[in-house]
Structure formats: structure tokens, C-alpha cells
Coordinates of all heavy atoms in Angstrom, one line a residue:
F1 N -6.7 16.0 -14.3 CA -5.5 16.2 -13.4 C -5.8 17.2 -12.3 O -5.1 17.2 -11.3 CB -4.3 16.7 -14.3 CG -3.7 15.6 -15.1 CD1 -4.2 15.3 -16.4 CD2 -2.5 14.9 -14.7 CE1 -3.7 14.3 -17.1 CE2 -2.0 13.9 -15.5 CZ -2.5 13.6 -16.7
V2 N -6.7 18.1 -12.6 CA -7.1 19.1 -11.5 C -7.9 18.4 -10.4 O -7.6 18.6 -9.2 CB -7.9 20.3 -12.1 CG1 -8.3 21.2 -11.0 CG2 -7.0 21.0 -13.2
A3 N -8.9 17.7 -10.8 CA -9.8 17.0 -9.8 C -9.0 16.0 -9.0 O -9.4 15.8 -7.8 CB -11.0 16.3 -10.5
N4 N -7.9 15.5 -9.5 CA -7.2 14.4 -8.8 C -5.8 14.9 -8.4 O -4.9 14.1 -8.1 CB -7.0 13.2 -9.7 CG -8.4 12.5 -10.0 OD1 -8.9 11.9 -9.1 ND2 -8.9 12.8 -11.2
Y5 N -5.6 16.3 -8.2 CA -4.2 16.7 -8.1 C -3.6 16.4 -6.7 O -2.4 16.2 -6.6 CB -4.2 18.3 -8.3 CG -4.5 19.2 -7.2 CD1 -3.6 19.9 -6.5 CD2 -5.9 19.3 -6.8 CE1 -3.9 20.8 -5.4 CE2 -6.2 20.2 -5.8 CZ -5.2 20.9 -5.1 OH -5.6 21.8 -4.1
C6 N -4.5 16.2 -5.7 CA -3.9 15.8 -4.4 C -3.7 14.2 -4.3 O -3.2 13.7 -3.3 CB -4.7 16.3 -3.3 SG -4.4 18.0 -2.9
A7 N -4.1 13.5 -5.4 CA -3.8 12.1 -5.5 C -2.3 11.9 -6.0 O -1.8 10.8 -5.9 CB -4.7 11.4 -6.4
A8 N -1.7 13.0 -6.5 CA -0.4 13.0 -7.0 C 0.6 13.3 -5.8 O 0.2 13.9 -4.8 CB -0.2 14.0 -8.1
T9 N 1.8 12.9 -6.0 CA 2.9 13.2 -5.1 C 3.7 14.4 -5.6 O 4.3 14.3 -6.7 CB 3.9 12.0 -4.9 OG1 3.1 10.8 -4.4 CG2 5.0 12.3 -3.9
W10 N 3.7 15.5 -4.8 CA 4.3 16.7 -5.3 C 5.7 16.9 -4.5 O 5.7 16.7 -3.3 CB 3.4 17.9 -5.0 CG 2.2 17.9 -5.9 CD1 1.0 17.3 -5.6 CD2 2.1 18.4 -7.2 NE1 0.1 17.4 -6.6 CE2 0.7 18.1 -7.6 CE3 2.9 19.1 -8.1 CZ2 0.3 18.4 -8.9 CZ3 2.4 19.4 -9.3 CH2 1.1 19.1 -9.7
E11 N 6.7 17.2 -5.3 CA 8.0 17.4 -4.8 C 8.7 18.6 -5.4 O 8.4 19.0 -6.5 CB 8.9 16.1 -5.1 CG 8.3 14.8 -4.4 CD 9.1 13.6 -4.9 OE1 9.7 13.6 -6.0 OE2 9.2 12.7 -4.1
N12 N 9.7 19.1 -4.6 CA 10.6 20.2 -5.2 C 11.9 19.5 -5.4 O 12.0 18.3 -5.6 CB 10.6 21.4 -4.3 CG 11.2 21.1 -2.9 OD1 11.7 20.0 -2.7 ND2 11.1 22.0 -2.0
N13 N 13.0 20.3 -5.4 CA 14.3 19.7 -5.7 C 14.7 18.6 -4.8 O 15.5 17.7 -5.2 CB 15.4 20.8 -5.7 CG 15.1 21.9 -6.8 OD1 14.0 22.4 -6.9 ND2 16.1 22.1 -7.6
N14 N 14.3 18.7 -3.5 CA 14.8 17.7 -2.6 C 13.7 17.3 -1.5 O 14.1 16.5 -0.6 CB 16.0 18.2 -1.8 CG 15.9 19.6 -1.4 OD1 14.8 20.1 -1.2 ND2 17.0 20.3 -1.3
N15 N 12.5 17.8 -1.5 CA 11.6 17.5 -0.5 C 10.2 17.2 -1.1 O 9.9 17.7 -2.2 CB 11.5 18.6 0.5 CG 12.7 18.8 1.3 OD1 13.2 17.9 1.9 ND2 13.2 20.0 1.4
T16 N 9.4 16.5 -0.3 CA 8.0 16.3 -0.6 C 7.2 17.5 -0.2 O 7.4 18.0 0.9 CB 7.4 15.0 0.0 OG1 8.2 13.9 -0.5 CG2 6.0 14.8 -0.4
L17 N 6.2 18.0 -1.0 CA 5.5 19.1 -0.7 C 4.0 18.7 -0.3 O 3.5 17.7 -0.7 CB 5.4 20.1 -1.9 CG 6.7 20.6 -2.4 CD1 6.5 21.4 -3.7 CD2 7.4 21.5 -1.4
P18 N 3.4 19.5 0.6 CA 2.0 19.2 1.0 C 1.1 19.5 -0.2 O 1.4 20.3 -1.1 CB 1.8 20.2 2.2 CG 2.7 21.3 1.9 CD 3.9 20.7 1.3
C19 N -0.1 18.9 -0.1 CA -1.1 19.2 -1.1 C -2.5 19.2 -0.4 O -2.8 18.3 0.3 CB -1.2 18.1 -2.2 SG -2.4 18.4 -3.5
P20 N -3.2 20.4 -0.5 CA -2.8 21.6 -1.3 C -1.7 22.3 -0.5 O -1.5 22.1 0.7 CB -4.0 22.4 -1.3 CG -4.8 22.0 -0.1 CD -4.6 20.5 0.1
G21 N -0.9 23.1 -1.3 CA 0.2 23.8 -0.8 C -0.3 25.2 -0.2 O -1.5 25.5 -0.2
V22 N 0.7 25.9 0.3 CA 0.4 27.3 0.8 C 1.0 28.3 -0.1 O 2.2 28.2 -0.5 CB 1.0 27.4 2.2 CG1 0.8 28.8 2.8 CG2 0.5 26.4 3.2
E23 N 0.2 29.2 -0.6 CA 0.6 30.2 -1.6 C 1.8 31.0 -1.0 O 1.8 31.3 0.2 CB -0.6 31.1 -2.0 CG -0.3 31.9 -3.2 CD -1.5 32.5 -3.8 OE1 -2.6 32.2 -3.4 OE2 -1.4 33.3 -4.7
D24 N 2.7 31.4 -1.9 CA 3.9 32.1 -1.5 C 4.9 31.3 -0.7 O 5.8 31.9 -0.1 CB 3.6 33.4 -0.8 CG 2.7 34.4 -1.6 OD1 2.9 34.3 -2.9 OD2 1.9 35.1 -1.1
D25 N 4.8 30.0 -0.7 CA 5.8 29.2 0.0 C 7.0 29.1 -0.9 O 6.9 28.6 -2.0 CB 5.2 27.8 0.3 CG 6.1 26.9 1.1 OD1 7.3 27.3 1.3 OD2 5.7 25.8 1.5
D26 N 8.2 29.5 -0.4 CA 9.4 29.5 -1.2 C 9.9 28.1 -1.5 O 10.7 27.9 -2.4 CB 10.5 30.3 -0.5 CG 10.3 31.8 -0.6 OD1 9.5 32.2 -1.4 OD2 10.9 32.5 0.2
E27 N 9.4 27.1 -0.8 CA 9.7 25.7 -1.1 C 9.0 25.2 -2.3 O 9.3 24.2 -2.9 CB 9.4 24.8 0.1 CG 10.3 25.1 1.3 CD 11.8 24.7 0.9 OE1 12.1 23.6 0.5 OE2 12.6 25.6 1.1
G28 N 8.0 26.0 -2.8 CA 7.2 25.6 -3.9 C 5.8 25.2 -3.4 O 5.7 24.7 -2.3
F29 N 4.8 25.3 -4.3 CA 3.5 24.9 -3.9 C 2.6 24.6 -5.1 O 2.9 25.0 -6.2 CB 2.8 26.0 -3.0 CG 2.6 27.3 -3.8 CD1 1.5 27.6 -4.5 CD2 3.6 28.3 -3.7 CE1 1.3 28.8 -5.2 CE2 3.4 29.5 -4.4 CZ 2.3 29.7 -5.1
V30 N 1.5 23.9 -4.9 CA 0.5 23.7 -5.9 C -0.9 23.9 -5.2 O -1.1 23.4 -4.1 CB 0.6 22.2 -6.5 CG1 0.6 21.2 -5.4 CG2 -0.5 22.0 -7.5
I31 N -1.7 24.6 -5.9 CA -3.1 24.8 -5.4 C -4.0 24.9 -6.6 O -3.6 25.1 -7.8 CB -3.2 26.2 -4.6 CG1 -2.8 27.4 -5.5 CG2 -2.4 26.1 -3.3 CD1 -3.1 28.7 -4.8
Q32 N -5.3 24.6 -6.4 CA -6.3 24.6 -7.4 C -6.9 26.0 -7.4 O -7.2 26.6 -6.4 CB -7.4 23.6 -7.2 CG -8.5 23.6 -8.2 CD -9.6 22.6 -7.9 OE1 -9.3 21.5 -7.3 NE2 -10.8 22.8 -8.4
L33 N -7.1 26.5 -8.6 CA -7.8 27.8 -8.8 C -9.0 27.6 -9.7 O -8.8 27.1 -10.8 CB -6.8 28.8 -9.4 CG -5.6 29.3 -8.6 CD1 -4.8 30.3 -9.4 CD2 -6.0 29.9 -7.3
N34 N -10.1 28.1 -9.3 CA -11.3 28.0 -10.1 C -11.4 29.3 -10.9 O -11.3 30.4 -10.4 CB -12.6 27.9 -9.3 CG -12.6 26.5 -8.6 OD1 -12.2 25.5 -9.1 ND2 -13.0 26.6 -7.3
S35 N -11.5 29.2 -12.2 CA -11.5 30.4 -13.2 C -10.3 31.3 -12.9 O -10.4 32.4 -12.6 CB -12.8 31.2 -13.0 OG -14.0 30.5 -13.2
P36 N -9.1 30.7 -13.1 CA -7.9 31.5 -12.8 C -7.8 32.6 -13.9 O -8.2 32.5 -15.0 CB -6.8 30.4 -13.0 CG -7.4 29.4 -13.9 CD -8.8 29.3 -13.5
K37 N -7.1 33.7 -13.5 CA -6.8 34.8 -14.4 C -5.5 34.6 -15.1 O -4.5 34.5 -14.5 CB -6.9 36.1 -13.6 CG -7.1 37.3 -14.4 CD -7.3 38.5 -13.5 CE -7.7 39.8 -14.4 NZ -7.9 41.0 -13.5
M38 N -5.6 34.5 -16.4 CA -4.4 34.2 -17.2 C -3.6 35.5 -17.5 O -4.1 36.6 -17.1 CB -4.8 33.6 -18.5 CG -5.5 32.2 -18.3 SD -6.0 31.4 -19.9 CE -7.3 32.6 -20.4
E39 N -2.4 35.4 -18.0 CA -1.6 36.6 -18.2 C -2.1 37.6 -19.1 O -1.6 38.8 -19.1 CB -0.2 36.2 -18.6 CG 0.0 35.5 -19.9 CD 1.4 35.0 -20.2 OE1 1.8 34.0 -19.7 OE2 2.1 35.8 -20.9
N40 N -3.1 37.3 -20.0 CA -3.7 38.3 -20.8 C -4.8 39.0 -20.1 O -5.5 39.9 -20.7 CB -4.2 37.7 -22.1 CG -5.3 36.7 -21.9 OD1 -5.5 36.3 -20.8 ND2 -6.0 36.4 -23.0
G41 N -5.1 38.7 -18.9 CA -6.1 39.4 -18.1 C -7.4 38.7 -18.1 O -8.3 39.1 -17.4

């Protein structure tokens, strides 16, 4: 699902979202992170 995430259609409550998205977009966003830092650090 990560490698093909931009093959998916991403939407919020009423609009289609771009892929990849823009971080901190209040409309919602999706981006790929390599080695993301989880909440336990």
C-alpha cells in the first residue's frame, strides 16, 4: 500500500486530495515517510 499509495484516490469529507499531499494542509494530506518515527520515539 505504501509503494502504490498514489495509485489510490484520496479524499477528505468533501474533496479529492492531491497525492502526494502537502504537510500541514488543513484539508488533510497523505505522504510517504521512510523510517518514520513512531510515538514511542
Side-chain angles (χ1 to χ4, degrees):
F1 288 82
V2 176
N4 296 285
Y5 83 108
C6 279
T9 301
W10 293 91
E11 297 175 330
N12 62 10
N13 296 54
N14 44 26
N15 292 309
T16 301
L17 300 174
C19 184
V22 178
E23 194 165 350
D24 297 329
D25 186 351
D26 284 343
E27 290 297 305
F29 63 89
V30 56
I31 58 174
Q32 177 180 338
L33 295 179
N34 296 320
S35 301
K37 200 170 185 180
M38 299 178 291
E39 61 182 81
N40 65 344

